Amino acid sequence: AMPVNAAGKKDSKKEDKTETVYVNANADGSVDKITVSDWLKNHSSSDTLEDFSNLENIKNVKGDETFSENNGKLVWQGDKKDICYQGTTTKKIPVGMKVTYELDGKKVSADDLEGKSGHLKIHYEYQNTSADSGKYTPFLMATGMILPVDKFDNID
């Protein structure tokens, strides 16, 4: 979405931003680490790009451009390019996740799975906790898992 100025007109001097949040979760679905990736699109080929962020450990992940920061306001030396940066946060995310396990049809905890064999079902349940006055913000969720081939086989 193109930002608008106070008069409601498109502001071609502004950039827009795409944000992706990556959550590394523990076996029960609780949060382990949150990494946020931001892409500032430099549509007007500006020399500098302004953004606001409360992320920690901010680093440019697609270039050498640097930034200055003052009370959460970032000013990137954009060099007429887009800026892609990442940072971390400890703020609560607006989506909860619960993971449950069944081994051979019986509910088990993640801790009980070590060294076991059998038919395993893993169920992910998400809860949107973003309600503000009864209205929820929509989110797209994707779950990925790395299963080492020396320990897992016959996976559907």
Side-chain angles (χ1 to χ4, degrees):
M2 179 69 72
V4 294
N5 63 23
K9 297 180 181 176
K10 285 186 178 178
D11 189 345
S12 62
K13 287 277 190 191
K14 296 281 185 183
E15 57 285 335
D16 67 76
K17 176 177 174 176
T18 300
E19 184 167 86
T20 305
V21 179
Y22 299 94
V23 179
N24 289 19
N26 296 308
D28 64 357
S30 62
V31 173
D32 179 43
K33 180 181 178 186
I34 302 170
T35 303
V36 179
S37 290
D38 288 313
W39 175 15
L40 301 178
K41 298 172 187 172
N42 195 348
H43 296 296
S44 57
S45 298
S46 299
D47 289 329
T48 61
L49 295 173
E50 293 182 5
D51 191 23
F52 288 92
S53 180
N54 57 12
L55 298 176
E56 300 169 3
N57 307 310
I58 293 174
K59 63 181 176 183
N60 186 338
V61 293
K62 297 241 176 144
D64 301 343
E65 298 81 17
T66 59
F67 69 95
S68 59
E69 187 267 336
N70 186 6
N71 291 329
K73 180 180 178 181
L74 308 179
V75 179
W76 287 92
Q77 300 307 312
D79 194 26
K80 300 182 179 20
K81 300 177 192 169
D82 290 0
I83 298 290
C84 295
Y85 70 90
Q86 281 186 346
T88 58
T89 186
T90 55
K91 292 195 176 230
K92 186 175 187 237
I93 60 172
V95 177
M97 183 173 74
K98 178 181 172 188
V99 184
T100 55
Y101 302 88
E102 278 186 26
L103 183 63
D104 294 329
K106 295 179 184 175
K107 286 195 173 195
V108 295
S109 72
D111 293 338
D112 293 335
L113 292 173
E114 188 173 342
K116 300 283 189 328
S117 293
H119 184 250
L120 175 65
K121 286 185 183 179
I122 304 172
H123 179 77
Y124 294 91
E125 183 178 330
Y126 298 101
Q127 181 182 14
N128 187 333
T129 59
S130 69
D132 182 22
S133 303
K135 296 179 182 176
Y136 288 92
T137 302
F139 294 101
L140 173 64
M141 304 294 295
T143 300
M145 178 186 297
I146 298 171
L147 300 172
V149 294
D150 62 330
K151 298 191 189 260
F152 297 88
D153 61 15
N154 195 21
I155 298 169
D156 293 337

